[in-house]
Every structure is written in C-alpha cells, then in structure tokens.
Amino acid sequence: MFVVIGIIAFVLGLIGMHDFREAQGEHPLDVFYFVLQLYVLGSDPLQNGGPFPWSLEAARILAPVFTLATVVETGRLLLATEVRRFRSRTARRHAVVCGDTPFAQALARQLFNKGERVVQVRATPFGPLELRHRRMLGVSGDARSAAVLRAAGLRRARYLYVCGGDDQINHAVAVAAGTELQLRDTSPWIYVQVHRQSTCQLLQARRLGAAGTNRFRLDYFHVDDVAARRLYQDHPLSRSDRPVRLAIAGDGSFPRVLLVETARHWRALGGAGDGLRIDLIARDARRIKADLIARFPFLEHVCQIEAHDETVDTWVPRAARPRRYDRIYLCHHDEQAMLEMALQSPDLWHAVTDKVFVATYESAALADAFHGGEHNDLLDEVGGRLQVYPILTRACDAPLITDDLTERLAKQFHRRYLTVNGGHGSPASGVEWDQLSESMRNANRAQVQGIAAKMQVLQCVIAVRNGEDAVITEDEIERLAELEHERWCEERERHGWRPGRRDDGRRRHPDLVGWAQLGEGSREKARDAVRSMSDMLADEGFTIVRLNEPIGVAA
C-alpha cells in the first residue's frame, strides 16, 4: 500500500508540476527535483501559493502521507526488534533452541506449534518480518557467548536445545551454558545434539558419572535414538497368537538402534521371548548381533535374533515368499538405492503383511508426498504397504528428546520401587510414573544423579557395556546403601520434609533419621537400590568399570 501511494504521488506530482511550471519554461530536471521535495513536506514553487492543478493538489497531500507512513513503519520495525530483545531477556519457563540447522529450525517450530514460548539463537540475523508471533522470539549472535545466552533468557528457561551442525561448537555452547548456570538452584534442562551415534553413547556414560558434581541436568542425544522411539510410538507392534516376524536390513547406526528399540517396545507390550523373531541382514550381521547382545543383555531374553551376513540385494529374492514377515525395515546408507528397491520390487510388497519401512535422512519431502494425509497424499502407498520414514523429521520431537537417559533410569528406579513394595507404598509414591507428582519424580531423578557419588566411593567409572559387569561386594553394598540413605535424607529435607509419622500432606517421613536409627526393612530397601543399579545401567547399555581393587580387598 505504501509503494502504491508513493508511486501515485510521484506520477501526479510530475503531471501537476509540469502543468504548473510550464509557463516558466522549467527544465525537466528542475520539475523532477521539485516533485522530490514534496516528500519532505515542502517544494520551492509552492511557497507562493496557488491555485494549483488538481493533480498537484493531490500529490502534495499523498507525498507527505507516504513519508509519514514510511517513518512510522520504520519506527515500528525498529521498536519491534527492541521489544523482542527485551521479551527474550525477560522470558520465563521457555525453550531456547541454538543452531542454524534445519533440525534446529524444525524443533523451534514444533515447540511453538505446541504452545511453548521459544527463543531461537542463531548466527544469521533474523529478517524484519521473520518473527511475527509473540511466542516466537529470536536472538542473533554466537551462542558460545555468555552475553548471547543471557540475552536469550537462559537462566529463566526451562529447556536448552543445542542443535548446531558442528559437534565442537555444540560442546562449546554446553560449556558456556554450564558456566552461566553454575551454583544455581534451578536451571534449565540442557540437551546437546551429537552427530555420531557411538560418540553420543560414550558422552552419555561420561555425563552419568559426573552428574553429581553440578546441579543442572545435561544429556546428549542422537537423532537415530529419538527417531527409533518415535517409530514405535506412531506404528506400534501388535501381539498375536503366532510369533511376530521382522526383518531389519542395512548398514549404519540406525539398524542397530532400531533393533534394540524394537526389543524394548516388545518387552513393554509384555510379549513372550519367543513371540518376536528378528532377521538382521547386513554384511557383518553376526558381529553386530554379538556386539548388541554384549551391550544389551536383555536382548537374548526378549526376542530371537537371526543374523545373515549378506547384502540386501542378495537377501531380497529369498524374502519374497508371500507373507513371510510382518514388517521389513530397510535402513541402508545408500538411501537412493533402497528407495528404488522399495518402489520397484513386488517381491518386497508380497513379503510383508503390514509394511515395508524405508528409513531415510534426506527424503522428508518424498515422505510427505506419500503420507501427506487422507486427502493430501500425492503418491500411491502400494496399498498401505510402503512407508517412507524420514529420520530427521521424526527425531524432531521435543518430548522424546527430554525423555533422556536420566529420565529413563529414574523410571526404572520407580518401577523397581513398586516391585519391591508390592503395591504397598504410600498413596503419593505407590502409583505409576504418569500419576506420580513432580516432587516424587524429582526424587527419582536425584537418585539417578546420585550414581556419580557412588562411583567415586567405589573408585569406579561408568562405560559402554561390552559383556562384563563389575561385581559389587557386600561390604560395598552396605557402604553405598548408607550413602544412598544420606543422599535421600538430604534431598527430602531440602524440599521441606521432616521426621515423623508418615504424612505426605505435611511432608513427614519416619525414615528421615540416621542410618543407625533406621529400621532393617528400610535399610534393605536402600541395599536393593544399590544392588539393582548394575542391572539398570546394563539395560541402557552401560556398565561399571573398576579403577582399583574392591573395598576391603588388599592390593
């Protein structure tokens, strides 16, 4: 509208000024100059008054309107930028997303669409019309700078997602955030994306062993782990009278993650160990199977895995027997070849009763074309048997990212508590995790963070499991149980609990006493928490490694 007003004013000004000055023989450049003066609220020929041609009368009104509107709009944009900066600095309980990658942008949009207030931090400047919603804010700058993180309201944020394209920069942002948040009672949960799956596992182990040295919560995530969990959230398996048969074919990290997550999903469904049969097809499938079983001991009890050392090309003709599998997952690093095979191979379509999943990192748009919705799918899904699964898009799931290693171990501790107590816990703690209060959840999370202190006492570290677990002696169990009780008392007292007859409403608990005064039943609960620690770590693929001799054993 501003442009149209400006053009109309200029054209009418040229016509009117030419008619008005024609008798004086003005040069065309002079006429042009006099018209430009209209935009600054004055023109030399008009100082002596009219009458003026109608076109000039209209121009000398429209030109100042254009100028005024431009000034107002420019001021609004400048003020909006300052308002956004102020709102970013003063935001509370929001999510901060750092990174210039498409994944970071998609995560910010997803959080915004779910009603969260989001502050994006990226190196590239934001356009004047890019952030037009009150709940979507932005800060331009280097996220490794403490000033930039403060401008994003880090100290009052609820979550910080570091999703840059360079792992070293992501680590530097995490260090800067940790320095900014040190010694604070309340801090955001920090999630750092790592682009190599094996490195992510190693860093998770190192973080778990150091979680007790500071108060803020930090974890690392890889898109494969999140996408695999999302797959079974969107496409759960179904138990039946006959065994469920799956095939996972391909190389890379995703097939390994998917196999483990498949077993976890089946265990959560309560499926029998012989009710899930998985064929693993890869060039070194037997070695992959051995590595996974060494790391995740529950695999042998949850499902039956058969490894085939061959390529997908040679395996497909053998898989063509009708209805041999319930599902087939193609997860090869050569995505284009896998897509072409899935699109042109009737053998694969005939081999499944449910779907053929093609996992891809780079074909999100193609997945939308196939599965855009009931009335918006552009391509045939082969009778519903073809499913293109975009890993990066599905991994962009904030609730699953926040369901991190600490959260999963905390849930395990609570399930163990319910098993040991046999449903006889208090009304506040004897319920499932979904019904548990945030205070009780925090107590379980604190128990996970307390693992680090126990490792220091044992002079042990946590590492990726390779089939062996350190044996904790009875003397060590007793010492760690006392340490666990002291940690529990300190955590409960910090939240206002006091000794007395059990009353959750008044925050009273009879076990808030010293170890010497504690009853034998409560002592045994603390010992059981220590004994179960190794099993819980093994369930997530980690183990305890000794650096010195066990307590009480001479060197």
Side-chain angles (χ1 to χ4, degrees):
M1 184 179 65
F2 299 150
V3 172
V4 171
I5 291 176
I7 293 175
I8 291 175
F10 185 75
V11 172
L12 292 177
L14 285 177
I15 296 173
M17 192 65 71
H18 177 268
D19 294 342
F20 182 63
R21 304 293 293 177
E22 184 177 9
Q24 301 181 21
E26 295 288 353
H27 192 277
L29 288 179
D30 293 333
V31 174
F32 182 80
Y33 175 73
F34 293 149
V35 172
L36 291 180
Q37 286 184 324
L38 293 174
Y39 291 92
V40 293
L41 308 181
S43 182
D44 292 343
L46 277 60
Q47 301 304 316
N48 297 325
F52 306 120
W54 72 269
S55 55
L56 187 56
E57 289 281 9
R60 71 174 185 154
I61 299 299
L62 292 177
V65 169
F66 171 79
T67 301
L68 180 61
T70 303
V71 171
V72 170
E73 179 66 10
T74 302
R76 188 189 69 80
L77 291 176
L78 292 175
L79 183 61
T81 300
E82 293 303 319
V83 169
R84 282 199 302 268
R85 290 177 180 174
F86 175 77
R87 290 172 54 211
S88 297
R89 287 195 301 269
T90 58
R92 293 181 180 276
R93 304 296 292 168
H94 59 291
V96 179
V97 181
C98 299
D100 291 58
T101 62
F103 184 85
Q105 297 176 22
L107 180 60
R109 286 195 301 271
Q110 189 230 34
L111 289 165
F112 170 78
N113 291 333
K114 290 192 173 183
E116 297 278 349
R117 173 170 287 189
V118 183
V119 177
Q120 300 180 68
V121 180
R122 71 187 197 196
T124 55
F126 291 92
L129 301 178
E130 190 170 352
L131 301 175
R132 293 174 289 177
H133 302 279
R134 292 184 58 83
R135 289 183 290 104
M136 181 70 81
L137 304 172
V139 175
S140 299
D142 190 343
R144 293 171 289 185
S145 167
V148 172
L149 292 176
R150 283 195 294 270
L154 175 64
R155 293 184 177 182
R156 293 174 298 277
R158 186 179 180 187
Y159 300 110
L160 169 63
Y161 302 93
V162 185
C163 309
D166 188 300
D167 283 350
Q168 295 305 313
I169 294 179
N170 289 350
H171 298 325
V173 174
V175 171
T179 303
E180 184 70 13
L181 297 171
Q182 60 185 344
L183 303 181
R184 291 184 61 85
D185 292 332
T186 57
S187 298
W189 295 0
I190 303 175
Y191 299 98
V192 182
Q193 183 181 7
V194 179
H195 294 85
R196 187 177 177 86
Q197 213 271 337
S198 57
T199 302
C200 181
Q201 299 165 358
L202 296 171
L203 292 177
Q204 286 178 331
R206 300 278 56 76
R207 175 57 190 169
L208 194 59
T213 61
N214 48 57
R215 295 182 179 179
F216 67 88
R217 177 166 163 180
L218 166 68
D219 196 18
Y220 298 88
F221 73 93
H222 190 274
V223 294
D224 286 355
D225 299 313
V226 183
R229 284 184 283 156
R230 175 66 183 274
L231 190 151
Y232 285 110
Q233 194 177 80
D234 296 339
H235 308 279
L237 296 174
S238 299
R239 295 168 55 187
S240 63
D241 296 335
R242 60 175 182 79
V244 175
R245 298 209 57 179
L246 309 177
I248 301 177
D251 301 314
S253 61
F254 190 69
R256 305 182 184 209
V257 174
L258 182 60
L259 191 151
V260 175
E261 194 56 39
T262 302
R264 283 203 181 102
H265 175 67
W266 184 253
R267 181 177 60 181
L269 291 176
D274 59 352
L276 177 63
R277 301 176 184 178
I278 302 176
D279 283 354
L280 179 63
I281 298 93
R283 293 180 183 274
D284 53 351
R286 294 180 184 176
R287 182 184 63 80
I288 294 174
K289 174 185 173 181
D291 291 345
L292 290 177
I293 291 177
R295 184 178 177 194
F296 300 97
F298 73 89
L299 288 178
E300 288 187 299
H301 310 292
V302 173
C303 60
Q304 297 179 0
I305 305 172
E306 184 175 345
H308 304 272
D309 289 340
E310 59 181 314
T311 64
V312 179
D313 294 337
T314 60
W315 167 77
V316 167
R318 296 195 299 104
R321 286 182 292 173
R323 309 299 187 265
R324 181 180 180 185
Y325 295 103
D326 293 273
R327 291 183 183 179
I328 294 176
Y329 300 97
L330 300 179
C331 322
H332 201 269
H333 64 273
D334 189 347
E335 297 181 7
Q336 193 62 35
M338 289 297 97
L339 281 170
E340 291 179 0
M341 179 181 294
L343 292 174
Q344 70 180 6
S345 176
D347 291 342
L348 285 174
W349 309 339
H350 294 153
V352 296
T353 58
D354 187 6
K355 291 182 176 67
V356 176
F357 286 81
V358 183
T360 174
Y361 292 94
E362 300 177 354
S363 301
L366 183 61
D368 291 338
F370 270 106
H371 321 297
E374 183 179 358
H375 303 291
N376 194 34
D377 49 340
L378 306 181
L379 300 174
D380 176 24
E381 298 176 346
V382 193
R385 294 189 184 181
L386 178 62
Q387 183 78 35
V388 180
Y389 190 74
I391 294 175
L392 292 178
T393 301
R394 297 297 180 265
C396 185
D397 191 312
L400 286 179
I401 294 175
T402 56
D403 188 26
D404 58 357
L405 179 60
T406 298
E407 199 78 353
R408 296 194 299 272
L409 287 173
K411 292 177 181 179
Q412 285 198 53
F413 273 119
H414 184 64
R415 282 196 295 268
R416 180 75 179 185
Y417 169 82
L418 295 179
T419 301
V420 171
N421 284 272
H424 300 295
S426 70
S429 59
V431 296
E432 295 297 331
W433 182 267
D434 292 340
Q435 287 78 45
L436 207 61
S437 67
E438 194 63 20
S439 174
M440 290 298 177
R441 292 184 185 185
N442 286 332
N444 287 282
R445 293 162 183 156
Q447 191 170 359
V448 176
Q449 293 178 324
I451 292 177
K454 297 180 180 64
M455 294 300 102
Q456 293 177 0
V457 171
L458 292 177
Q459 295 184 329
C460 294
V461 296
I462 297 174
V464 174
R465 193 176 186 276
N466 62 358
E468 299 179 358
D469 296 306
V471 178
I472 302 178
T473 66
E474 288 300 320
D475 290 340
E476 291 173 331
I477 290 176
E478 191 70 16
R479 181 173 177 181
L480 292 182
E482 183 175 354
L483 181 66
E484 169 60 22
H485 178 68
E486 292 174 357
R487 181 209 62 77
W488 177 81
C489 289
E490 179 183 351
E491 188 270 336
R492 290 288 84 185
E493 290 171 355
R494 190 166 61 248
H495 289 83
W497 287 73
R498 296 293 179 265
R501 187 175 180 178
R502 183 67 185 264
D503 188 335
D504 294 338
R506 298 177 58 234
R507 298 187 179 184
R508 297 291 185 267
H509 201 293
D511 288 348
L512 286 171
V513 295
W515 182 260
Q517 293 79 39
L518 194 64
E520 185 60 27
S522 297
R523 288 188 180 188
E524 188 59 29
K525 290 180 183 178
R527 297 185 188 111
D528 182 77
V530 174
R531 293 190 187 101
S532 63
M533 186 171 59
S534 295
D535 293 337
M536 293 181 183
L537 289 172
D539 196 73
E540 293 293 335
F542 299 101
T543 188
I544 298 173
V545 176
R546 290 190 179 276
L547 299 178
N548 294 301
E549 292 293 332
I551 295 175
V553 177

